[in-house]
């Protein structure tokens, strides 16, 4: 158990200086005491991951697993060797925990597949919007307000990843759609910033051409005046 814990994300957080990261006592108590408000070690995750536990209790898994005494959090996340979560954990892929019990064709598999699709879609949209802002920022354009909007869109993705504990695909999709709308707004802001950059470059090029034209005209005028002046002096010398 200790070796597994030392390979977990909890121990990683503890080593990183997070003194709130769970240790053995956090989940198991000490001297045989169970942590306050926890009926079993299986439910101890909810003392920190409150929203995830509440959402799971609204899911069809809660009603199906409880009579069969299937542990809730531990079934998908394990106990001691808890790893970093990822979107690959849900869906119909090879790393999906859903496929342990479901097939891609049954209702649970279809729900998991749909949730995986909308999460991946929002994640891709956020990456594209971020790349657009990076491109505009590298060209010297101000995109601070768009960055704030992008951060809000990222929060929608985080919320959707929490909402998936309900296994309610409509609820997850509602959250991702809100994130998609923000991502599209950010993308448009990036497009406008790049268009403004192109306009400025075009304006600068035209300005430089105009300046160059004026300089050439002045040079030709000066040359013409110098020639006329030289001709007049030559004429006066010849007359004298």
């Amino acid at each position: 158990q200790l070796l597994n814990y030392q390979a977990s994300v909890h121990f990683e957080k503890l080593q990183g200086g997070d003194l709130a990261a769970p240790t053995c006592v956090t989940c198991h108590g000490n001297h045989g005491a169970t942590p306050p408000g926890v009926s079993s070690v299986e439910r101890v995750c909810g003392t920190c991951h409150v929203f995830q536990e509440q959402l799971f209790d609204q899911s069809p898994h809660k009603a199906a697993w409880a009579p069969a005494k299937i542990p809730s959090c531990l079934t998908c996340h394990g106990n001691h060797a808890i790893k970093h979560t990822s979107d690959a954990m849900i869906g119909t892929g090879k790393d999906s925990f859903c496929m342990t019990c479901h097939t891609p064709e049954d209702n649970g598999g279809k729900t998991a597949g749909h949730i995986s699709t909308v999460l991946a879609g929002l994640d891709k949209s956020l990456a594209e919007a971020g790349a657009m802002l990076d491109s505009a920022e590298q060209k010297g354009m101000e995109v601070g307000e768009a960055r704030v909007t992008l951060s809000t869109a990222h929060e929608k993705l985080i919320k959707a990843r929490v909402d998936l504990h309900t296994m309610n695909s409509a609820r997850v999709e509602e959250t991702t759609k809100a994130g998609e709308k923000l991502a599209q707004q950010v993308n448009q802001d990036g497009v406008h910033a790049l268009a403004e950059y192109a306009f400025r470059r075009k304006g600068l090029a035209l300005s430089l051409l105009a300046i160059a034209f004026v300089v050439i005209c002045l040079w030709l005028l000066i040359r013409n005046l110098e020639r006329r002046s030289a001709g007049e002096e030559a004429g006066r010398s010849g007359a004298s």
Side-chain angles (χ1 to χ4, degrees), residues 26 30 58 66 76-77 90 125 132 146 171-172 178 228:
T26 307
N30 53 13
Q58 300 172 29
C76 298
H77 296 283
I90 189 165
S125 296
M132 184 69 73
R171 177 170 178 164
V172 177
R228 288 177 61 183

